[in-house]
Amino acid sequence: MEATPADNNTGQVHRPRRLRRTGALRRMVQETVLTAADLIYPLFVMEGEGQQEAIPSMPNCFRYSLDLLLEEAKAVWELGIGAIALFPLIPHHQKDNAGTESYNPDGLIPRAVRALKQALPELLVITDVALDPYSSEGHDGIVQNGQILNDETVAVLAKQALVQAEAGADFVAPSDMMDGRVREIRKALDAEGWINVGILAYSAKYASAYYGPFRDALDSAPKFGDKKTYQMDAANAREALKEVELDIKEGADIVMVKPALAYLDVICRIKQHTNLPVAAYNVSGEYAMVKAAAQQGWIDEKAVMLETLTSMKRAGADLILTYFAKDAALALRTEKGKA
């Protein structure tokens, strides 16, 4: 029998390892529990039929034509994932500086939303509100003389959100980081009677180097410069609280931090700052790094995936947008079956 160490001051023995002794004990005292219901699955949609294109920089992620998108969404729903976020690959001939295709009622996203809500009415559909997929300049706003116009862009974003709501979107998600866009989108939705359509605001979206694979997926990289005049400086955390406070005042229902892994401290601060649900976006670069290391045999992909997602929830995220959603839901179901 091992000797029992005693605390010199109290004479009491402290052995935290007692609560780690078995799997049942560890599960019983686990502080943070990750479930499939916490996850939102981003999906890429494109024109065509019977098409599934691999995204080289995002292994096991694809662009889907609408018919195959529906099949993927059904598979996701059956895994217990209750929400998807849609992102469009827009053909070059439909792009212009004003992003006019973004508010075409017969455009790719409105058609996709209508089809999804008809096939899976209970699945929550979240639509991206931003101009970069539709812009010939690859920026989130209208460009004039090398500058991104704020108010003119916001007017287009409100039109885009309204078209998405009319198609059946449950949440519109402005990801552009233009000032005042949440307020104008809320006003436009309410004026047309879409009071139950929520706003998931990309409140603290950083000008990050982690977005590269996503821009490959949508062919939406900026044609000049970068996005630092409207997305946040990676060095700033207090500024995130200001952005969140503004979005809440303007009518956001959920606030989000993007990226997630390098900004866990920001997620934690925001969670302490608001009672609204907080989302985190586990972005394409974070996903691709795990996939690349796993392909080299350097890490255990499943273990790192679950540890990473759990860290985001532990930091304070109520919801996590992640390209791992499907794999994570499968892994969690397997673990539950073993319990």
Side-chain angles (χ1 to χ4, degrees):
M1 181 179 297
E2 290 187 39
T4 302
D7 186 290
N8 291 331
N9 295 321
T10 66
Q12 295 179 348
V13 175
H14 299 277
R15 286 188 179 274
R17 285 181 56 189
R18 288 194 188 103
L19 299 181
R20 305 172 194 150
R21 188 169 53 85
T22 70
L25 264 174
R26 291 190 295 273
R27 287 190 296 272
M28 186 172 71
V29 299
Q30 186 172 332
E31 298 174 20
T32 305
V33 179
L34 180 72
T35 72
D38 301 323
L39 308 176
I40 298 170
Y41 194 24
L43 283 171
F44 301 108
V45 61
M46 65 180 185
E47 298 286 1
E49 186 175 346
Q51 300 295 309
Q52 177 178 308
E53 292 181 356
I55 301 168
S57 56
M58 298 177 67
N60 207 35
C61 284
F62 304 91
R63 307 179 191 95
Y64 297 97
S65 57
L66 184 50
D67 53 337
L68 298 188
L69 179 81
L70 294 177
E71 292 182 14
E72 183 71 357
K74 289 175 183 176
V76 166
W77 176 254
E78 290 169 359
L79 285 170
I81 298 169
I84 63 170
L86 286 179
F87 298 95
L89 176 66
I90 301 300
H92 282 281
H93 71 273
Q94 293 181 338
K95 297 184 178 187
D96 58 32
N97 182 37
T100 52
E101 181 62 19
S102 68
Y103 53 91
N104 176 5
D106 295 315
L108 180 58
I109 287 295
R111 283 186 282 119
V113 172
R114 288 193 289 267
L116 284 161
K117 296 308 290 186
Q118 182 175 2
L120 295 162
E122 293 186 41
L123 177 70
L124 294 174
V125 177
I126 301 166
T127 49
D128 180 54
V129 179
L131 297 193
D132 52 329
Y134 305 90
S135 169
S136 55
E137 302 298 321
H139 276 282
D140 293 66
I142 298 170
V143 178
Q144 185 177 87
N145 299 324
Q147 303 296 314
I148 312 302
L149 303 181
N150 191 94
D151 296 357
E152 293 84 348
T153 297
V154 169
V156 177
L157 297 174
K159 292 182 182 180
Q160 182 183 9
L162 191 56
V163 165
Q164 295 171 351
E166 290 169 345
D170 296 286
F171 280 85
V172 294
S175 64
D176 55 287
M177 291 300 286
M178 298 296 119
D179 294 336
R181 88 277 203 213
V182 172
R183 179 184 61 247
E184 294 305 313
I185 289 170
R186 186 73 269 164
K187 284 171 56 179
L189 293 174
D190 290 353
E192 295 298 323
W194 299 108
I195 59 173
N196 291 323
V197 174
I199 297 178
L200 190 167
Y202 286 63
S203 298
K205 182 177 180 180
Y206 286 85
S208 171
Y210 284 93
Y211 301 149
F214 177 91
R215 292 173 182 170
D216 290 343
L218 295 186
D219 189 20
S220 62
K223 297 297 187 290
F224 69 91
D226 52 40
K227 301 190 177 187
K228 292 181 180 180
T229 65
Y230 48 99
Q231 293 179 357
M232 286 179 55
D233 188 329
N236 293 355
R238 293 193 305 272
E239 184 184 4
L241 300 181
K242 178 173 69 175
E243 289 282 6
V244 164
E245 185 176 347
L246 286 170
D247 284 355
I248 292 171
K249 288 179 179 178
E250 292 178 12
D253 299 284
I254 301 172
V255 294
M256 185 158 68
V257 178
K258 181 182 181 182
L261 191 55
Y263 299 86
L264 296 178
D265 62 314
V266 177
I267 296 170
C268 185
R269 289 195 192 196
I270 290 174
K271 182 64 174 180
Q272 295 168 350
H273 186 72
T274 179
N275 290 321
L276 287 185
V278 177
Y281 201 140
N282 178 210
V283 298
S284 59
E286 297 167 350
Y287 171 87
M289 289 192 300
V290 173
K291 284 288 187 179
Q295 287 176 350
Q296 292 293 325
W298 295 337
I299 61 172
D300 179 330
E301 180 179 336
K302 175 184 170 183
V304 170
M305 169 187 70
L306 293 177
E307 183 177 342
T308 298
L309 296 175
T310 299
S311 77
M312 295 168 190
K313 190 170 182 185
R314 188 186 68 239
D318 301 288
L319 306 167
I320 304 170
L321 284 83
T322 178
Y323 304 98
F324 282 120
K326 195 175 178 182
D327 290 342
L330 283 166
L332 291 168
R333 177 176 287 186
T334 301
E335 285 194 355
K336 186 176 180 181
K338 292 178 181 179

